[in-house]
Amino acid sequence: MANYWQQAFLWEASLNCAYKIRVYVFQKVLKRDLGFFEGGNGVSSGDIAYRITAEADDVAETVHALLNSILPSMLQLIAMATQMVLISPVLTLISALVIPCISLVIAYLGEQLRKISNKAHLSVAKLSEYLNEVLPSVLFVKANNAEFCECARFQRLAHADLTENLKKKRMKALIPQIVHAIYVGVLLLLCYGSLIVLRSFFDSSGVVSFLTSLVLLVEPIQDVGKAYNELKQGEPAIERLFDLTMFTPQVIEKLDAVDLDTVTGDVKFCDISFKYGDSMPLVLNKLNLHVKCGETVALVGPSGGGKSTLTKLLLRLYDPSCGCILIDNHDIQNIRLESLRRHISLVSQDITLFSGSVAENIGYRDLMGKIDMDRVEHAAKTANADEFIRKLAEGYDTNIGQRGSILSGGQKQRLAIARAIYQKSSILILDEATSALDSKSEMLVRQAVERLMENHTVLVIAHRLDTILMADRILLLENGELEEVTRTSLLNEGNSNGTLISSGIVI
Ligand SMILES: Nc1ncnc2c1ncn2[C@@H]1O[C@H](COP(=O)(O)OP(=O)(O)OP(=O)(O)O)[C@@H](O)[C@H]1O
């Protein structure tokens, strides 16, 4: 019974520990700058997922192993050592001198185990990273007949993992045997020595008592050694988890940042320059732009010209290298991040939908509170999405699958527009999807975009001529600089199906 309760309590403590670490690390990960996820040196999402799931479990195992062996072992160790000290302090001291020597051996082996363990963790993380990348792209894999090639890539990674894990398990099996052999050797020597010395000073009961304590001391010392090895084995998981939490944010919210209740939507970019890294070229160069409240500005320009970067700066996902951005004449660096982002809606080019119901996806901002169903339906109607939603098996309660997998491209776009309408923000960033739709879907999406633009200050990264022509002003962003272009010049550049493919303005 006692053993059951011991295990139950220890597992509760260990699993709670893993749970708390998991939540803490995830909170911290979400607080990291966008650059951490986007930069080439960042940690991949597959690796992060692996750390927060499997490696947090490893931490629980380590904590359990530590508590499970250290507590009882320490009690036994103290009891036996006291008994020995009472019989012969001098001999106890001599026996104790062995401990540092054995500790050195254990420490050395533990360090080797830590290194091997770290490699094993990295190999599983790579496996998880790979799966996270390939499984969502299964359509592309099948379409390219790449199943065989992907199987081979997976097999290579799985084999590397097998090799590393085998090394770890072998080392883990070997260490206790080495330690055990050393203990037995030392124990025999000590017993023999003690027997000779004690015989001349104590009666036989004293001799038996001392030797029994010495023998019983071996097990707890061995257990402490094992616990140390468990710690060494779990250390890489702990290090990798806490690595995610240690960072200095680049985008910092000021302590006296203000919360804006309402925003009219007047946006000014003043002398903005930006580059992604010190050694990288300037993406934006002393750029100035004033988007008046309720105005729609279309940004066009060559791929890589910096259009998305400009919108990331407005959302304060990065801070400009110099210059400032004002919303209603408030420098965004003085506005609380939560408040700033609440007043801006983003419809990104890669439509982001989550598994969950249609209503949850449209009312995403209220996910933690109560989603207003009237508002959801109104937003869906305005975005021309209500009709297809009602035809889904469970209407607004239909689960749309991972990333909205049960929806068509046009339906996803309209759902994203409905979400932006639901948010009721004053400023809208619309990064138009480049994927072509059939003419009916195209018309429905265009209508939805048109309605979305009403009552918003809109910054649209436009790829379609139709959308560009909806804008009040058209700006060409090239070589980090902005230039206003006229409709007439654009119309001369547009081709018949409305897609801009001229040399100056390229999709
Ligand atoms: N996270 C990043 N780290 C480093 N460089 C980046 C990063 N994101 C973008 N860049 C670079 O910055 C430049 C501008 O990219 P941006 O995405 O803003 O262009 P864009 O005009 O939106 O292009 P597109 O129309 O193709 O989406 C590009 O040269 C790109 O390679």
Side-chain angles (χ1 to χ4, degrees):
M1 280 289 283
N3 204 13
Y4 166 76
W5 284 113
Q6 177 186 330
Q7 291 304 319
F9 280 129
L10 289 184
W11 272 117
E12 191 178 332
S14 320
L15 291 175
N16 263 307
C17 174
Y19 159 75
K20 286 194 173 144
I21 290 178
R22 233 173 224 159
V23 173
Y24 172 73
V25 172
F26 188 61
Q27 270 173 356
K28 286 281 185 183
V29 165
L30 289 187
K31 282 198 176 130
R32 293 198 74 140
D33 293 325
L34 185 67
F36 170 73
F37 301 93
E38 287 193 339
N41 301 325
V43 180
S44 74
S45 49
D47 191 355
I48 297 175
Y50 175 69
R51 293 188 200 193
I52 295 178
T53 50
E55 292 192 340
D57 272 341
D58 288 350
V59 174
E61 300 274 349
T62 307
V63 172
H64 179 266
L66 281 176
L67 295 177
N68 197 23
S69 47
I70 280 203
L71 268 176
S73 304
M74 287 312 266
L75 288 178
Q76 193 175 339
L77 211 135
I78 291 167
M80 295 306 120
T82 316
Q83 173 75 356
M84 285 166 67
V85 169
L86 288 177
I87 299 169
S88 170
V90 179
L91 259 184
T92 308
L93 192 68
I94 294 170
S95 311
L97 285 178
V98 175
I99 293 176
C101 307
I102 294 177
S103 302
L104 280 179
V105 177
I106 294 180
Y108 172 75
L109 293 173
E111 189 50 32
Q112 297 308 309
L113 182 62
R114 194 190 72 81
K115 283 183 190 155
I116 294 172
S117 224
N118 193 26
K119 284 190 185 158
H121 276 278
L122 289 179
S123 64
V124 195
K126 279 206 182 114
L127 214 56
S128 154
E129 198 178 315
Y130 170 81
L131 289 174
N132 262 279
E133 204 168 77
V134 164
L135 290 179
S137 319
V138 76
L139 186 151
F140 185 79
V141 172
K142 280 182 176 293
N144 284 281
N145 284 328
E147 290 99 326
F148 181 72
C149 160
E150 292 303 340
C151 258
R153 286 214 293 171
F154 180 78
Q155 204 173 345
R156 210 177 314 131
L157 288 171
H159 193 265
D161 175 58
L162 168 78
T163 316
E164 296 303 339
N165 263 301
L166 258 178
K167 279 188 204 160
K168 179 174 128 182
K169 294 287 177 206
R170 281 191 190 130
M171 188 67 173
K172 236 187 125 184
L174 183 67
I175 290 178
Q177 309 317 321
I178 296 178
V179 174
H180 195 76
I182 299 173
Y183 276 132
V184 171
V186 171
L187 188 71
L188 287 176
L189 271 176
L190 281 175
C191 284
Y192 182 68
S194 313
L195 205 59
I196 295 169
V197 178
L198 289 170
R199 251 199 209 146
S200 38
F201 295 100
F202 298 95
D203 58 7
S204 56
S205 71
V207 176
V208 170
S209 183
F210 186 87
L211 291 181
T212 313
S213 304
L214 192 60
V215 171
L216 287 178
L217 204 62
V218 173
E219 199 192 327
I221 292 182
Q222 243 180 340
D223 283 348
V224 173
K226 266 192 218 157
Y228 178 75
N229 284 331
E230 290 290 344
L231 177 67
K232 284 288 161 189
Q233 187 195 253
E235 228 175 63
I238 300 171
E239 276 169 12
R240 278 165 48 78
L241 268 166
F242 283 93
D243 258 3
L244 292 176
T245 68
M246 278 177 251
F247 61 97
T248 319
Q250 305 291 316
V251 176
I252 299 167
E253 186 176 86
K254 288 186 182 165
L255 286 176
D256 57 351
V258 294
D259 204 336
L260 296 183
D261 284 339
T262 50
V263 157
T264 61
D266 187 85
V267 181
K268 281 183 196 146
F269 292 85
C270 311
D271 277 329
I272 293 291
S273 295
F274 178 76
K275 50 182 168 182
Y276 280 97
D278 292 338
S279 54
M280 290 189 164
L282 273 176
V283 178
L284 303 173
N285 190 6
K286 293 207 174 298
L287 177 144
N288 283 291
L289 170 63
H290 183 187
V291 189
K292 295 189 198 85
C293 159
E295 193 181 21
T296 294
V297 165
L299 284 175
V300 295
S303 178
K307 302 179 292 291
S308 305
T309 305
L310 193 68
T311 62
K312 286 179 197 165
L313 294 183
L314 180 59
L315 279 162
R316 252 203 110 195
L317 297 167
Y318 293 93
D319 276 338
S321 322
C322 65
C324 62
I325 302 171
L326 309 179
I327 289 183
D328 285 5
N329 287 325
H330 292 276
D331 187 335
I332 59 169
Q333 304 227 2
N334 299 326
I335 303 175
R336 281 191 50 228
L337 283 173
E338 191 276 327
S339 171
L340 170 74
R341 292 172 189 166
R342 185 162 22 94
H343 292 296
I344 303 174
S345 291
L346 169 73
V347 180
S348 57
Q349 195 179 77
D350 313 315
I351 305 293
T352 311
L353 295 171
F354 298 102
S355 47
S357 70
V358 173
E360 283 167 350
N361 271 280
I362 296 179
Y364 183 68
R365 278 220 180 151
D366 287 341
L367 217 49
M368 290 300 289
K370 188 166 165 22
I371 295 175
D372 181 342
M373 277 314 291
D374 290 340
R375 229 167 98 196
V376 167
E377 284 178 27
H378 173 259
K381 278 183 190 141
T382 318
N384 278 340
D386 182 67
E387 197 184 322
F388 85 78
I389 294 171
R390 289 195 187 277
K391 284 188 189 151
L392 296 174
E394 290 170 65
Y396 283 86
D397 293 325
T398 311
N399 190 322
I400 57 168
Q402 212 184 6
R403 295 176 203 176
S405 55
I406 68 157
L407 302 177
S408 73
Q411 289 171 339
K412 284 184 197 169
Q413 287 184 25
R414 280 177 277 155
L415 216 59
I417 291 170
R419 180 165 58 199
I421 294 170
Y422 179 92
Q423 289 170 356
K424 284 189 175 165
S425 317
S426 324
I427 302 165
L428 169 71
I429 296 170
L430 175 61
D431 195 347
E432 195 179 38
T434 46
S435 56
L437 299 171
D438 65 82
S439 51
K440 187 169 175 236
S441 296
E442 184 76 52
M443 195 256 304
L444 291 172
V445 171
R446 196 172 61 238
Q447 269 180 1
V449 169
E450 240 167 342
R451 291 177 197 158
L452 178 65
M453 284 175 172
E454 287 165 13
N455 312 319
H456 279 98
T457 300
V458 186
L459 206 58
V460 52
I461 300 177
H463 299 283
R464 313 279 313 165
L465 191 57
D466 288 336
T467 322
I468 297 171
L469 294 179
M470 283 181 213
D472 300 312
R473 271 193 298 152
I474 304 154
L475 298 161
L476 173 69
L477 180 54
E478 203 171 11
N479 300 325
E481 287 166 16
L482 271 180
E483 183 195 330
E484 187 143 0
V485 282
T486 61
R487 274 159 213 272
T488 352
S489 68
L490 263 179
L491 284 171
N492 294 337
E493 306 226 17
N495 71 348
S496 56
N497 68 12
T499 308
L500 295 175
I501 50 166
S502 80
S503 53
I505 305 159
V506 194
I507 293 172

